[in-house]
Amino acid sequence: MREEILTSATEMFLTYGFKSVTMDDIAEKMSISKKTIYTHFSNKTKLVQETTFGMFECISSGIECICDLSYNPIEELFQIKKFILENLKDEKSSPLFQLQKYYPKIHAELRNKQFAVMQECVTDNLNRGVKDAYFRSDIDISFISRVYFQGMMGIKDIDTFPTELFSMNYLLEKYLEYHVRGIATEKGILTLEKVQNQYN
């Protein structure tokens, strides 16, 4: 039952947001009593924490699998984008924004976990891109990997990028293009345009 609660709660949080969904909503959706949920999770914060870190582990594992498939560095970025969108429902409810606002401690811990994983993944992507001449050899990999992380976090700020104006798919697409064009060789630009045609 515990796993079923986590699965239902995760789906509802992604669809409607962490603040919007109550324990009553989850109980009603699952046709169980709220007491049953509290048997497994002492309060909503605990449930939010477990669903958040569960989603993080799922996404991280999926990204790791993609990185093992030997895509070229540019296609790898777009494969990861596709995977994230499929698993986060295009983030129409801006769950990350609600997490930051209403559960700041969980958000801060999640951000630290995301940074650690992304640093390793992006650094490897950049190194392979330089080695295979998709990215320029003069780029500062440590700097760019951090800028990439900050940019990825920044495009999820709904005050700057309101969801009624920008879909997450659009933001990720444009950010990846911005990122790649800033560091790519001629070979990299040609590969980017080819990959964009495939994914559009």
Side-chain angles (χ1 to χ4, degrees), residues 22-71:
T22 66
M23 299 293 252
D24 284 313
D25 293 331
I26 298 167
E28 183 179 348
K29 170 85 172 178
M30 296 184 67
S31 299
I32 60 175
S33 70
K34 193 162 64 169
K35 184 179 177 181
T36 302
I37 299 177
Y38 283 119
T39 301
H40 299 279
F41 304 95
S42 57
N43 53 52
K44 184 181 173 183
T45 299
K46 290 288 186 185
L47 181 56
V48 168
Q49 183 178 45
E50 291 216 30
T51 56
T52 298
F53 296 147
M55 282 187 281
F56 169 77
E57 293 299 334
C58 175
I59 295 293
S60 297
S61 176
I63 290 174
E64 191 175 313
C65 288
I66 291 170
C67 292
D68 288 339
L69 294 176
S70 301
Y71 289 107

Side-chain angles (χ1 to χ4, degrees), residues 58-59 62-63 66 79-87:
C58 175
I59 295 293
I63 290 174
I66 291 170
Q79 282 285 344
I80 290 172
K81 177 203 118 175
K82 179 183 174 187
F83 171 76
I84 289 172
L85 288 174
E86 286 171 351
N87 282 269

